[in-house]
Amino acid sequence: MSAWVEVVGLGAPATVQDGGRLGVMHHGVPPGGAWVPELLIAANRAVGNAPGAAAFEAFGRLELRARGRDVRVSVDGAAPSFLADGATLTVPAPTRYAVRYVAVDGALAVPEVLGGRGTLWVARLGGWEGRPLRNGDRLPLGPPATPSASPSEADLLRLAEALDPAAPLRVLLGPDASRFGDAAVALLLGSTFTVSPSSDRVGQRLDGPPVPHGDEGAGTSRPMVRGAIQVTLSGTPIVLGPDHPTTGGYPLIAAVIRSDWGRLGARRPGAPVRFQAVSMEEARQAWKNHPACLLGTTSGPVPSILGA
């Protein structure tokens, strides 16, 4: 390694994440990718990386030391900090959102596995040795990136609006309408749920009133996608995350639209969640105007987290 970043302090789990893996679900491998794609894209843009380049996804305090060269570092898209060779940077634990993204110019040059560099913890592959990071880990860096313009204040304002913790999550209803009655849909759209502490990258479990349905666990297993809202036998909604199983049999009452993946992922345990039904055309228009889409198309190839 000619240049690397050393992990010298951790306050909570942190992993390497990127834009995800395309085209491997038929092998039983979920797409993965950033929990909050918008923040990854913004951080990478700020240091001149491709939007889906590998960076740190941290749920708590993160301390890093530059080795081999000076580097530029952005946290969640903020203007880059200069970190001299041998110097240490302490990134405080996230306060506004559940997680934050730390991008280094040149990106984390961890090995590519099945078309992606992100950690798929459930399969113990990708990232750094397929696991959460530890103190003393030394992650190689790619060649220095060409400096670019950081996201503007207007960009960051649109980003904050997209991740608004008080805004409803927009959903497309179905596809298992036959397993749910009108009362179940009305309950989903008319209730306030909260993010359960038992949530993880596989799925975010929602606490609240049970959603009734007639399924008894005999549903046929079918492909799953990120954002799909499964309802368990007990009536608990689970919104599938980036590391979701590739198939499942629980009935699906709705799916969170692409534009709102990060809006949910950014919410801490205990945060309120409300749902709002939209049409397919409204979902497409929301994505067309989404800040992650606009930011991500300004430099480098389009990663899977930008694919609707």
Side-chain angles (χ1 to χ4, degrees):
M1 287 186 291
S2 60
W4 66 94
V5 171
E6 181 180 0
V7 178
V8 296
L10 287 165
T15 59
V16 176
Q17 295 298 339
D18 67 352
R21 294 174 170 86
L22 279 176
V24 290
M25 282 187 61
H26 63 293
H27 292 305
V29 179
W35 184 286
V36 184
E38 297 87 338
L39 297 180
L40 172 71
I41 294 168
N44 274 321
R45 173 177 168 177
V47 296
N49 296 340
F56 295 98
E57 180 180 85
F59 287 84
R61 175 181 52 83
L62 178 65
E63 295 180 46
L64 304 172
R65 179 177 293 129
R67 293 292 193 184
R69 67 173 171 89
D70 302 339
V71 299
R72 289 173 292 112
V73 182
S74 173
V75 180
D76 297 343
S81 301
F82 179 81
L83 188 60
D85 184 7
T88 300
L89 172 69
T90 298
V91 180
T95 54
R96 182 169 189 175
Y97 304 124
V99 65
R100 65 191 334 168
Y101 292 84
V102 183
V104 181
D105 75 278
L108 303 178
V110 298
E112 184 175 295
V113 180
L114 295 176
R117 301 181 192 273
T119 307
L120 184 57
W121 192 351
V122 294
R124 305 295 191 268
L125 64 80
W128 191 242
E129 300 181 353
R131 59 167 171 80
L133 297 170
R134 302 170 185 161
N135 288 336
D137 284 342
R138 296 183 171 188
L139 283 69
L141 294 175
T146 302
S148 62
S150 297
S152 65
E153 288 189 14
D155 289 333
L156 295 178
L157 179 60
R158 285 194 293 269
L159 190 61
E161 291 174 348
L163 301 179
D164 183 358
L169 299 180
R170 292 164 290 185
V171 299
L172 295 171
L173 293 175
D176 293 327
S178 61
R179 300 198 212 175
F180 296 94
D182 292 342
V185 173
L187 186 147
L188 180 79
L189 300 179
S191 302
T192 298
F193 300 87
T194 59
V195 177
S196 169
S198 62
S199 300
D200 57 23
R201 285 179 51 87
V202 174
Q204 285 176 274
R205 185 178 294 266
L206 303 181
D207 294 330
V211 179
H213 59 83
D215 185 80
E216 297 180 352
T220 302
S221 183
R222 92 285 290 281
M224 291 290 112
V225 295
R226 181 172 180 178
I229 305 176
Q230 293 184 324
V231 180
T232 68
L233 297 180
S234 64
T236 300
I238 300 175
V239 185
L240 297 186
D243 295 351
H244 64 82
T246 55
T247 61
Y250 286 131
L252 305 180
I253 191 170
V256 175
I257 69 172
R258 172 61 189 83
S259 296
D260 289 0
W261 287 357
R263 181 177 287 181
L264 174 60
R267 297 186 187 186
R268 298 170 169 275
V273 172
R274 295 178 294 110
F275 294 106
Q276 174 188 344
V278 296
S279 67
M280 181 66 75
E281 182 54 38
E282 288 172 318
R284 289 172 175 156
Q285 191 61 39
W287 178 238
K288 186 181 298 185
N289 296 326
H290 195 271
C293 188
L294 300 176
L295 284 171
T297 56
T298 59
S299 65
V302 178
S304 64
I305 51 175
L306 294 180

